[in-house]
Amino acid sequence: MQRKTPGSSKCNGRIVALADLPIGRRGEVVSLALEGFSRLRLLDLGLVPGTEVKAVRRSPANDPVAFNIRGAMIALRNDDGRRIMVQYQEQEQEMT
Amino acid sequence: MGISHYPPDVDALRGSFIPGGLGAGQALVALAGNPNTGKSTVFNALTGLHQHTGNWPGKTVTQSRGTYSHRNRTIAIVDLPGTYSLLSNSPEELIARDFLCFAAPDATVVVVDASCLERNLNLVFQVMEITPRVVVCVNLVDEAMRKGISVDLDGLSYELGVPVVATVARTGKGLERLKDILDDLISGRIKLSPRYVVYDDDIEDRLAGLQANLHDVPLGHLNPRWVALRLLDGDAALIEGIVRRLGLYGSAAETGSRTNMQPDNLDGLQETMERAGEVRGREGRWGQGENSFRDRIVSAIYNRAESITRKVVRAGNAKGRDLGSLVDDILTSRIFGYPAMLALFGALLWITISGANVPSELLARVLFALQDRLMDMAARLQIPGWLQGVAILGTYRSVAWVVSVMLPPMAIFFPLFTLLEDLGYLPRVAFNLDSLFRKAGAHGKQALTMSMGFGCNAAGVIACRIIESPRERLIAILTNNFVPCNGRFPTLITLASLLASGEFALDHGSFLASGIVVGMVVLGIAVTLATSWALAKTILRGVPSFFALELPPYRRPQVIKTIVRSVMDRTLFVLLRAVTVAAPAGAVTWALANTSVGGISILKGLASLLDFPGRAMGLDGFILAAFILGLPANEIVMPIMLMGYLSSGTMLELGGLDSLGGILAHNDWTWLTALNMMLFSLLHYPCGTTLMTIHKETSSLKWTFLSAAIPTCIGVSLCLVVTGGARLLGLV
């Protein structure tokens, strides 16, 4: 199975929960700790391991957070976002 | 389509989508796609006014179908529910999948968003596995172009092995070509060579083995590869459907009507099912998490989608941030998010109130002048007094009131609201409000169903179907009535205008009036949240379920079409409903007001009975009686109340607001009466239609009863407290 290589190198990648991904940063999905219906829904939206996700904006009360997932803007609640782990570059250069 | 090769059940199903059945020279086309891809715009553009909406048989999901003619062929087109996938077994997905596999459409159009091709291809591949007769409609190419995104259509067509058409459905661009290609596909002029997703070796090996087993099973039009895939996934419901629909088992043996059945073939399917069970069983349901069958399937599809996208999509240099993103920075920001929402809603109401004032008055003058004419004519024709009363003073007058008071605000409010909706603002409202709903233990989509309630609570209750978890859906249903529907907006707006116009010694202006109505709406939302919270802590306890909300890009609405559509669909529909309820209710009320028992009219008797509780709530007997008699529809509460006042004493001419204020002042109204009536209008039992809808949606008398009892208790308590407080403080 072919895995997507992210824009920048994979080394120094820090693994955080998707809910903690700073706004404007990209991360690559490592694992989903959800089962059943929630997991199927995330898969439908294209949130499979290896997918690049960008945190775009927080709602006024910080929860939910909107992410760019494969070109679509999807808002997820932090309770769910905490169960999705992503790898991101701390010193990531600004990408367009 | 020539002679059918489908089993009788499939034929019957296909025929049910066109009036008179599917004849020669006609074809059945399905329309599939993700939500927010402009799928319904494509549907509307193809079918124009030749469409029909209803429910899917036995399901609470809306079905739209329509027809168009092209090259002497009539096409029956069925708009499938918008879904991201066909694998998660939600009701919408099951409907879409069953249609594709059991109605055997002659072609399926999958509408995809040009800016979001990668995600949309997931559905394309899943549809292709069921039926290869697919046309991919790459919609919204204009929007993509503005973002610097272009799609290589030939490349995409080559990669998928099916025809691809680019469209801009809102302008109609590309639709003729779509029709041409559909016709070519249906008549067999296009050779398809679909390129399916190839899964990992392990899955492919098993698939090959199962497919070999299925070789002798008469699966008809179904793709054996897909059936094998579903067998591997352990999809028992589908296999049962195949057996039932395609007449492979059971009933046929009993009735003997389907003679072309070969027992060997049935054994083949049975054997294959058992083998699939073994294959799955050996690994303990295909492992967990990432190694599960579903994860591997979906990952493979998305990997393929990703590699195709990399080949065929050119993303130009991102020219800074787009406008929509800047707008979102403001509309969903920490500081401006909530104020912007209030301001937008306030502006909407302000335009409605100040815009409706003049036409309302004009309509009232015309309609009531006509009433005088009618009375004169009736007198000249020597029509008996009771008939004059029932027909003109009862029926006609309440209809005239409903039309003059409701039509102008609704003709302004609904199109504006629909424009906001089409612009894509409502998902932002849900995004902003979600944390409140989450804390209340409710589902995030409740913000959307609540917004629907502003139009009509019955529609809002039906909209609650989008919430999958039964617990959260019930919370949304029970609290939908706390936002005022358009049947109550006129009451709120009229009373707020009276309060603000200085009739009861308050300040001036429609600005203040809209402020008062916004205040009422905010109160309604607060009560919605508080009640949701209380329900989630007591009788509907549980944890919030998974919630993902798509924020589609802002889209410039088709202003003219939107206005026409909302006037036709919403304004006239709601007005018609109000009139059909108001007419008989007016007649009954007039009869009640003019039938005396023991020297006092029934209406007055009822009012005097209700006078004590009414006064305690800061209302009076007539107002409470009007709320009770107005159960069929909130629109008629004001007319009934006025009829009660008018029948009780001097006959006043009912023109614009000034005389309305006169009547009310004459009946001892103060600002407190108006305030309490607004509060009780906001917080009381839902109208008859909504109650029936709640009963239909919950199939439970208990929940229907609670949906009436909860708001009424809150409303009565609040009115008692407000009135008691005001009197205690000596404000009245």
Side-chain angles (χ1 to χ4, degrees):
Chain A
M1 205 193 297
Q2 195 192 343
R3 275 284 159 84
K4 184 183 168 137
T5 41
S8 37
S9 67
K10 260 190 171 177
C11 49
N12 325 320
R14 201 156 70 92
I15 292 184
V16 295
L18 185 60
D20 299 328
L21 188 67
I23 296 302
R25 288 293 178 82
R26 284 158 208 265
E28 187 184 323
V29 176
V30 178
S31 66
L32 311 173
L34 294 106
E35 287 297 332
F37 184 74
S38 332
R39 186 183 188 89
L40 293 182
R41 272 276 171 262
L42 286 175
L43 294 180
D44 290 345
L45 294 169
L47 213 75
V48 294
T51 307
E52 192 185 89
V53 179
K54 182 182 177 188
V56 180
R57 65 178 76 252
R58 289 181 184 283
S59 73
N62 277 327
D63 186 6
V65 179
F67 300 96
N68 186 330
I69 302 173
R70 299 185 188 268
M73 197 78 81
I74 308 286
L76 298 174
R77 283 180 172 176
N78 288 341
D79 285 340
D80 298 315
R82 271 190 279 276
R83 302 168 73 180
I84 301 164
M85 303 309 286
V86 295
Q87 181 174 51
Y88 87 106
Q89 308 303 122
E90 248 171 308
Q91 244 66 52
E92 189 180 302
Q93 323 91 309
E94 186 57 36
M95 293 194 299
T96 46
Chain B
M1 279 310 293
I3 300 146
S4 162
H5 303 289
Y6 298 116
D9 270 12
V10 172
D11 254 345
L13 188 62
R14 287 166 56 80
S16 68
F17 292 97
I18 190 165
L22 212 56
Q26 300 184 325
L28 184 63
V29 169
L31 196 63
N34 283 187
N36 304 312
T37 52
K39 188 164 72 74
S40 35
T41 318
V42 173
F43 177 74
N44 288 334
L46 284 176
T47 59
L49 293 173
H50 303 280
Q51 47 177 275
H52 175 84
T53 41
N55 270 359
W56 289 88
K59 294 277 163 50
T60 52
V61 178
T62 319
Q63 179 207 69
S64 303
R65 57 173 199 257
T67 53
Y68 71 85
S69 289
H70 188 65
R71 291 183 184 162
N72 296 322
R73 195 200 293 277
T74 302
I75 306 285
I77 183 157
V78 177
D79 191 16
L80 300 178
T83 61
Y84 294 114
S85 148
L86 296 173
L87 290 172
S88 290
N89 295 334
S90 70
E92 288 81 8
E93 292 179 13
L94 285 177
I95 283 168
R97 189 192 75 180
D98 282 355
F99 184 87
L100 292 174
C101 105
F102 296 125
D106 299 299
T108 300
V109 179
V110 187
V111 182
V112 302
D113 176 354
S115 313
C116 193
L117 192 64
E118 194 174 299
R119 202 212 37 218
N120 284 248
L121 283 178
N122 177 33
L123 184 69
V124 174
F125 279 118
Q126 291 188 30
V127 172
M128 275 168 57
E129 278 174 346
I130 302 177
T131 165
R133 307 176 67 81
V134 166
V135 177
V136 173
C137 166
V138 181
N139 194 27
L140 301 164
V141 284
D142 55 337
E143 191 178 293
M145 203 139 62
R146 280 197 295 274
K147 291 182 193 159
I149 297 170
S150 68
V151 179
D152 167 13
L153 299 173
D154 292 337
L156 183 61
S157 179
Y158 169 78
E159 292 290 339
L160 298 172
V162 298
V164 173
V165 189
T167 58
V168 183
R170 42 172 289 156
T171 63
K173 197 182 139 204
L175 288 175
E176 280 307 306
R177 191 163 152 64
L178 175 64
K179 289 181 192 171
D180 286 347
I181 286 187
L182 272 172
D183 188 64
D184 289 345
L185 184 70
I186 290 163
S187 53
R189 279 192 292 274
I190 292 181
K191 285 280 157 280
L192 297 162
S193 47
R195 295 173 65 186
Y196 301 115
V197 170
V198 178
Y199 300 109
D200 59 55
D201 292 346
D202 179 38
I203 292 179
E204 285 298 335
D205 284 350
R206 289 163 208 255
L207 274 180
L210 281 180
Q211 250 179 281
N213 275 41
L214 283 170
H215 193 263
D216 295 328
V217 181
L219 290 173
H221 59 282
L222 293 183
N223 179 355
R225 181 183 163 85
W226 180 66
V227 175
L229 204 58
R230 300 320 304 145
L231 281 169
L232 274 183
D233 202 12
D235 194 336
L238 179 79
I239 303 309
E240 196 253 332
I242 291 179
V243 168
R244 192 162 40 84
R245 296 277 193 184
L246 302 187
L248 287 174
Y249 273 133
S251 62
E254 284 157 27
T255 60
S257 59
R258 290 166 199 163
T259 45
N260 57 346
M261 297 251 305
Q262 294 173 4
D264 294 354
N265 297 335
L266 303 186
D267 290 347
L269 183 62
Q270 178 118 52
E271 207 176 284
T272 315
M273 279 169 70
E274 277 161 16
R275 225 194 117 211
E278 268 170 43
V279 169
R280 283 200 318 277
R282 217 179 293 152
E283 300 197 356
R285 286 204 59 78
W286 286 96
Q288 290 290 305
E290 266 180 70
N291 293 317
S292 72
F293 181 70
R294 280 293 170 82
D295 271 57
R296 283 157 66 185
I297 293 277
V298 179
S299 293
I301 296 177
Y302 268 111
N303 281 335
R304 177 78 194 282
E306 229 174 78
S307 83
I308 291 180
T309 309
R310 237 178 281 143
K311 280 185 219 166
V312 303
V313 175
R314 298 263 167 285
N317 292 335
K319 28 182 173 102
R321 311 190 57 193
D322 64 321
L323 184 64
S325 162
L326 290 174
V327 172
D328 266 343
D329 283 349
I330 298 165
L331 292 185
T332 66
S333 78
R334 183 182 282 273
I335 301 166
F336 298 111
Y338 295 127
M341 245 166 20
L342 281 180
L344 259 171
F345 200 70
L348 198 74
L349 283 170
W350 181 74
I351 297 172
T352 305
I353 291 173
S354 50
N357 228 335
V358 175
S360 246
E361 215 165 306
L362 212 71
L363 260 177
R365 205 169 295 157
V366 170
L367 289 173
F368 287 112
L370 194 63
Q371 178 188 319
D372 294 342
R373 291 280 173 77
L374 284 173
M375 285 302 276
D376 288 348
M377 207 148 55
R380 231 176 301 139
L381 291 172
Q382 290 182 321
I383 288 171
W386 66 269
L387 189 58
Q388 282 184 30
V390 168
I392 301 170
L393 296 178
T395 311
Y396 178 84
R397 188 158 59 180
S398 44
V399 169
W401 163 269
V402 167
V403 170
S404 65
V405 167
M406 285 186 64
L407 181 60
M410 276 169 35
I412 301 174
F413 184 79
F414 274 144
L416 287 178
F417 195 78
T418 315
L419 282 178
L420 268 187
E421 220 174 81
D422 286 6
L423 198 65
Y425 183 60
L426 290 195
R428 272 76 187 177
V429 171
F431 184 62
N432 284 343
L433 291 179
D434 180 60
S435 70
L436 297 175
F437 282 99
R438 183 177 51 81
K439 283 175 193 147
H443 198 274
K445 284 183 192 160
Q446 195 177 322
L448 294 177
T449 61
M450 186 184 78
S451 308
M452 291 292 295
F454 284 115
C456 169
N457 292 128
V461 167
I462 292 174
C464 293
R465 291 168 180 174
I466 59 171
I467 299 172
E468 282 108 356
S469 128
R471 181 188 75 87
E472 289 157 320
R473 188 170 154 222
L474 260 177
I475 294 180
I477 289 176
L478 291 180
T479 56
N480 191 274
N481 184 50
F482 291 129
V483 290
C485 62
N486 63 78
R488 290 182 280 166
F489 264 119
T491 305
L492 294 180
I493 289 172
T494 309
L495 292 175
S497 306
L498 279 175
L499 272 179
S501 70
E503 189 73 45
F504 305 127
L506 271 181
D507 263 326
H508 289 263
S510 52
F511 193 75
L512 181 63
S514 13
I516 295 173
V517 179
V518 169
M520 283 292 149
V521 169
V522 171
L523 175 69
I525 295 174
V527 176
T528 300
L529 290 166
T531 309
S532 300
W533 180 82
L535 285 171
K537 282 272 173 294
T538 55
I539 47 176
L540 288 170
R541 216 173 313 192
V543 282
S545 65
F546 177 75
F547 166 65
L549 174 76
E550 178 158 10
L551 301 173
Y554 288 104
R555 288 187 176 133
R556 192 156 43 89
Q558 299 167 276
V559 178
I560 303 293
K561 277 189 188 162
T562 300
I563 290 174
V564 171
R565 186 159 46 86
S566 70
V567 166
M568 299 287 279
D569 290 359
R570 290 187 170 180
T571 310
L572 289 185
F573 173 78
V574 171
L575 189 73
L576 204 69
R577 191 180 78 90
V579 167
T580 47
V581 176
V588 169
T589 313
W590 189 88
L592 289 179
N594 290 279
T595 312
S596 293
V597 177
I600 164 170
S601 81
I602 297 177
L603 183 61
K604 225 190 239 177
L606 182 63
S608 62
L609 217 65
L610 294 168
D611 206 52
F612 176 70
R615 298 267 170 213
M617 288 166 61
L619 307 168
D620 64 29
F622 281 109
I623 304 175
L624 267 195
F627 272 111
I628 291 170
L629 293 173
L631 175 70
N634 282 301
E635 293 85 342
I636 58 175
V637 170
M638 285 279 273
I640 292 177
M641 178 192 83
L642 287 170
M643 220 177 287
Y645 285 149
L646 293 177
S647 72
S648 71
T650 34
M651 204 58 165
L652 287 163
E653 195 52 52
L654 184 61
L657 282 187
D658 295 343
S659 51
L660 173 63
I663 300 171
L664 299 182
H666 188 78
N667 283 279
D668 303 327
W669 271 52
T670 62
W671 63 268
L672 188 63
T673 324
L675 177 65
N676 279 317
M677 180 153 180
M678 288 172 80
L679 288 175
F680 199 60
S681 174
L682 182 73
L683 307 167
H684 73 292
Y685 43 82
C687 73
T689 312
T690 307
L691 283 174
M692 277 192 283
T693 309
I694 292 173
H695 184 244
K696 219 167 98 191
E697 296 291 308
T698 60
S699 328
S700 146
L701 276 176
K702 176 185 141 197
W703 294 119
T704 312
F705 172 76
L706 275 178
S707 74
I710 295 170
T712 311
C713 288
I714 295 174
V716 170
S717 320
L718 193 62
C719 286
L720 287 173
V721 169
V722 167
T723 310
R727 285 181 186 151
L728 210 64
L729 295 173
L731 295 176
V732 200

